[in-house]
Amino acid sequence: MPVVDNKKTIRATSAVGTAAVSKSKRLRDMLMSPDLRFIMEAHNGLSGKIVEEAGFEGIWASGLSISAALGVRDSNEASWTQVLEVLEFMSDATTIPILVDGDTGYGNFNNFRRLVTKLCQRDIAGVCIEDKLFPKTNSFLGSNQPLADIEEFCGKIKAGKDCQTDPNFSIVARIEALISGWPIEEALRRAEAYHQAGADAILIHSKKKTGDEILTFCREWGNRCPVVIVPTTYYATPTERFRDVNVSLLIWANHNVRAAIKAMREISRRLYEEQTLITLEDEVAVLGDVFKLAGNEELERSEDRYLAKPKSPHAVLLAATRGTALADLTKDKPKCMLDVRGTSILQRQVDALRTHGVRDFTVVTGYKDAAVIVADVAKVRNANYAETGEAASLALAGTALASDCIVAYGDIVYRPFILSMLMEKDADIAVIVDAAGSGSAAAGSMDLAACSVPFAADYLDDTPVTLTGIGTGVSKGDGRWVGLMKLSAAGAARVRATLDAMAADGTLAKASIPDVLNRLIAAGEKPAVVYITGNWLDVNDAFDLAQARNVA
Ligand code: SPV
Ligand code: MG
């Protein structure tokens, strides 16, 4: 028998620069290396990552462990495509080579060819097939399991080698003769046949308690091609002994799934019994570890790089006043909580804002604060609501006024398209002005708005319009501010600074929002105007409410 010492002629690639070397080449180099190398079992993406993290150079995708993790038996109950799915996750999750436990090849030479093709496509480095019959039985179960016909198994190896699309893909032929009670001679006969058929390595398996028969086999084999071993039952034999007989690759075949079973069983049992995490929290991986293993840091960096930051503005809704003109209707609740067709005015506004992407709400309450009930909004109370105006309420909005936000009166009802128009306006401060309804926009009105350009009904007219003044001081108005305003982060900062200045000079308490806008305008601000014509109303008296109930 010719003796070729492959390991003497081909040196392993150094660890330096392995990233540039394909996974299959790295596994092949491990097999051909003169040193004993180690790979470790994994059964999914997570355990694969942990194997790599520990420093192993390669992964054993164990059939037993993958089956166990899927909750099935190691009897080809998981189909080969289901195993392939798991392998794809493992391969994507790791950068080290994977040697797959291909059982018997899932059928004859033809089924094995297809498996090899698919493994190559998924960047799997190699496959190990065993000379038993499909469906396989785990080697540690029963005895005298029937072996495959040598010729048939050689044909399978040849077919696999002939169809691999990656030249460095390795096929390891696993000999089950010793497991099935055959003498070493039979194992050697098969090893030679599989080597001649083109196997890149042979795996000699044993279920003895000591490694003696493996050591004898290796001495007899004499390095005709690389040898792989799985010391699951003969674990007590010192590793050094295998090094001495030139074993190429040692597989720790199932120890991650066994470790996981023990740990999961223990944690489940104790939590079931103790019903508290107090004594257990330190015994499990911290959540941050889970995110780290999943690679969340990379996702965060990529989100910064690739994801358009969705603008998710806040809304500050000013809802402190009772609405005394509504008399008894507001005896128990502020006017923003009056019902319009089964939904409060405030809830309607919150719903409309939500459909426009607003996620955070701050409602400044005052009168009958407890009656302001809207789900998932933050409430801030203006305790001095009776003596103060809306500017003081706005000043209580806190951080909500520190980023993009919508500021709105809590008692307005409007068609949602008005919000779309406001949201689309690219300005630091933008206000909605109703150019219709001149009656309510008469001189002396608090919301009367003077604009740089009057409203033009021409659809194509998109002349920029700015607010030049607002409130009782305006003699000739162009419309009425409806109580809806949008602020960019910069606009919000300027409003905040103005409120602070007003607080400092004592004018804040009695000020209205128009007062704040006028102060900004006086300082050079040019709030953008978005004209509308009707389609909204505010609820000041019973007549308004009746109208709201008609239109909303
Ligand atoms: C596996 O890990 O599935 C193996 C090795 O085939 S063993 O279970 O030791 O046979
Ligand atoms: Mg197996």
Side-chain angles (χ1 to χ4, degrees):
M1 238 180 273
V3 176
V4 182
D5 190 347
N6 287 321
K7 291 196 286 182
K8 288 218 171 74
T9 52
I10 304 174
R11 299 284 316 172
T13 328
S14 74
V16 179
T18 48
V21 180
S22 72
K23 291 181 180 179
S24 55
K25 177 77 166 69
R26 279 182 273 155
L27 176 65
R28 183 69 68 78
D29 288 348
M30 285 166 75
L31 289 169
M32 305 308 277
S33 154
D35 311 317
L36 175 62
R37 312 284 275 267
F38 301 84
I39 62 174
M40 169 84 189
E41 169 260 318
H43 47 273
N44 55 23
L46 176 67
S47 50
K49 285 183 186 201
I50 288 171
V51 168
E52 178 166 2
E53 187 186 68
F56 279 98
E57 294 179 280
I59 293 169
W60 169 245
S62 155
L64 172 65
S65 305
I66 291 173
S67 301
L70 292 172
V72 296
R73 288 166 285 221
D74 185 19
S75 306
N76 293 128
E77 288 184 350
S79 73
W80 73 272
T81 53
Q82 287 172 325
V83 173
L84 200 64
E85 282 262 297
V86 176
L87 294 173
E88 191 168 351
F89 276 102
M90 290 172 66
S91 182
D92 288 347
T94 53
T95 66
I96 53 176
I98 298 175
L99 175 61
V100 171
D101 178 359
D103 292 340
T104 58
Y106 296 95
N108 70 4
F109 81 95
N110 191 36
N111 305 89
F112 182 52
R113 280 198 304 196
R114 188 145 170 80
L115 175 68
V116 168
T117 306
K118 293 290 152 193
L119 293 178
C120 289
Q121 286 170 1
R122 278 156 183 77
D123 202 19
I124 302 296
V127 64
C128 175
I129 45 168
E130 61 201 54
D131 54 359
K132 290 201 308 228
L133 309 181
F134 179 88
K136 60 82 52 90
T137 304
N138 186 275
S139 304
F140 302 127
L141 295 174
S143 53
N144 304 106
Q145 292 186 26
L147 298 183
D149 171 76
I150 295 184
E151 289 304 306
E152 193 264 345
F153 198 68
C154 285
K156 209 180 257 186
I157 295 168
K158 282 185 194 144
K161 289 308 291 177
D162 285 346
C163 81
Q164 69 186 49
T165 49
D166 176 348
N168 289 308
F169 184 83
S170 294
I171 294 182
V172 177
R174 166 166 157 182
I175 299 147
E176 292 281 298
L178 303 179
I179 294 271
S180 291
W182 292 83
I184 288 203
E185 290 67 32
E186 176 65 12
L188 286 165
R189 194 165 75 90
R190 285 177 174 262
E192 180 58 23
Y194 304 159
H195 171 46
Q196 294 301 335
D200 299 288
I202 52 146
L203 186 157
I204 182 69
H205 207 8
S206 164
K207 58 178 179 180
K208 290 271 160 57
K209 283 251 176 320
T210 75
D212 292 348
E213 65 180 7
I214 291 291
L215 295 170
T216 307
F217 175 93
C218 289
R219 280 190 213 100
E220 294 285 325
W221 179 244
N223 281 338
R224 275 173 254 176
C225 78
V227 173
V228 182
I229 61 166
V230 187
T232 300
T233 54
Y234 52 93
Y235 59 86
T237 303
T239 302
E240 208 46 42
R241 305 279 304 277
F242 303 121
R243 206 171 256 126
D244 292 343
V245 294
N246 285 315
V247 169
S248 287
L249 191 68
L250 187 154
I251 300 175
W252 307 121
N254 43 46
H255 301 83
N256 265 328
V257 85
R258 285 164 65 187
I261 289 170
K262 195 166 179 199
M264 291 193 287
R265 191 172 269 153
E266 177 65 5
I267 207 82
S268 296
R269 182 190 64 76
R270 284 183 57 189
L271 271 177
Y272 180 75
E273 283 169 6
E274 296 171 20
Q275 298 189 347
T276 173
L277 281 164
I278 287 172
T279 56
L280 291 178
E281 182 64 22
D282 291 342
E283 293 180 35
V284 293
V286 294
L287 267 180
D289 203 4
V290 180
F291 296 129
K292 189 158 171 263
L293 279 163
N296 279 61
E297 271 172 43
E298 190 281 332
L299 181 58
E300 271 172 38
R301 281 196 306 279
S302 297
E303 280 176 352
D304 284 346
R305 190 158 176 206
Y306 302 119
L307 213 57
K309 294 259 178 319
K311 281 217 171 87
S312 166
H314 288 249
V316 179
L317 304 175
L318 305 173
T321 54
R322 169 176 178 175
T324 27
L326 286 146
D328 266 9
L329 287 171
T330 56
K331 200 162 71 119
D332 302 323
K333 54 186 163 206
K335 61 178 169 175
C336 67
M337 290 310 291
L338 289 175
D339 178 280
V340 173
R341 298 195 194 169
T343 307
S344 70
I345 294 171
L346 189 61
Q347 182 71 61
R348 279 180 175 275
Q349 184 157 209
V350 166
D351 292 346
L353 285 160
R354 278 214 171 96
T355 62
H356 285 76
V358 176
R359 292 287 167 267
D360 299 300
F361 294 85
T362 301
V363 178
V364 186
T365 62
Y367 176 73
K368 299 285 178 199
D369 164 77
V372 179
I373 300 164
V374 178
D376 299 324
V377 303
K379 285 202 294 183
V380 180
R381 183 151 194 264
N382 177 0
N384 298 322
Y385 71 92
E387 291 83 44
T388 59
E390 297 122 358
S393 287
L394 184 58
L396 293 171
T399 52
L401 200 57
S403 60
D404 293 51
C405 68
I406 300 286
V407 175
Y409 291 155
D411 63 348
I412 53 177
V413 180
Y414 47 82
R415 303 239 185 251
F417 76 86
I418 293 175
L419 270 183
S420 304
M421 292 170 73
L422 184 61
M423 296 287 203
E424 279 162 20
K425 194 73 191 171
D426 186 16
D428 283 343
I429 300 178
V431 294
I432 297 279
V433 171
D434 181 11
S438 54
S440 58
S445 155
M446 202 171 87
D447 298 321
L448 184 62
C451 305
S452 59
V453 182
F455 173 68
D458 183 354
Y459 167 71
L460 294 174
D461 186 356
D462 54 4
T463 315
V465 186
T466 60
L467 189 70
T468 55
I470 181 167
T472 48
V474 172
S475 52
K476 190 189 162 304
D478 296 290
R480 183 179 173 201
W481 181 49
V482 309
L484 253 181
M485 165 165 75
K486 187 186 79 160
L487 305 174
S488 71
R494 296 206 284 279
V495 169
R496 175 102 252 156
T498 305
L499 293 169
D500 289 347
M502 293 173 88
D505 66 20
T507 53
L508 180 68
K510 295 286 173 207
S512 63
I513 302 296
D515 291 336
V516 178
L517 287 169
N518 280 333
R519 189 147 170 161
L520 281 156
I521 292 165
E525 191 75 48
K526 292 184 187 307
V529 168
V530 178
Y531 274 127
I532 58 164
T533 53
N535 291 294
W536 75 286
L537 51 86
D538 56 355
V539 181
N540 286 320
D541 51 31
F543 175 76
D544 290 340
L545 184 62
Q547 228 191 332
R549 286 172 175 164
N550 283 338
V551 301

